[in-house]
Amino acid sequence: MLAPGTVTSMNLIEWSDFEKVELRVGTIVRAEHFPEARKSAFKVWVDFGEFGIRQSSAQITIHYTCDSLVGLQVVAVLNFPPKRIADFESQVLVCGFDDGEGNVVLVSPTKKVTNGAKLF
């Protein structure tokens, strides 16, 4: 029996499946509190260079403030369909990891890269 979490116990995908996901980097240019959301969240606007500025709702209020987010580069999925959250259209999925306590830590490059660059 395989240990939970080992690669061989996961659903394997083909390289072509991974290539379909538009994981791109962008810089957060604006962030606001989102009191209408059911769970504590921010509205963020992210500049993806040639792909424009896209907005997202992100449940990241434990580790971040609106001020600390502006200027931060993040990784997001650009090719999910938009999702309505309260009165707001979330256009991208900003990516993060669970900190072990159910809170999100954002994925961010360790060096500045061009907005819109694709993760590979």
Side-chain angles (χ1 to χ4, degrees), residues 79-92:
N79 61 334
F80 280 142
K83 184 175 182 178
R84 178 129 329 256
I85 301 170
D87 63 344
F88 186 73
E89 182 180 79
S90 188
Q91 300 168 329
V92 297

Side-chain angles (χ1 to χ4, degrees), residues 54-104:
R54 309 271 183 101
Q55 60 192 36
S56 183
S57 170
Q59 296 173 359
I60 54 175
T61 60
I62 298 300
H63 295 298
Y64 305 94
T65 65
C66 290
D67 288 341
S68 72
L69 289 168
V70 174
L72 182 67
Q73 286 197 302
V74 294
V75 175
V77 177
L78 270 60
N79 61 334
F80 280 142
K83 184 175 182 178
R84 178 129 329 256
I85 301 170
D87 63 344
F88 186 73
E89 182 180 79
S90 188
Q91 300 168 329
V92 297
L93 174 67
V94 177
C95 298
F97 293 102
D98 185 316
D99 69 356
E101 297 181 10
N103 306 304
V104 177

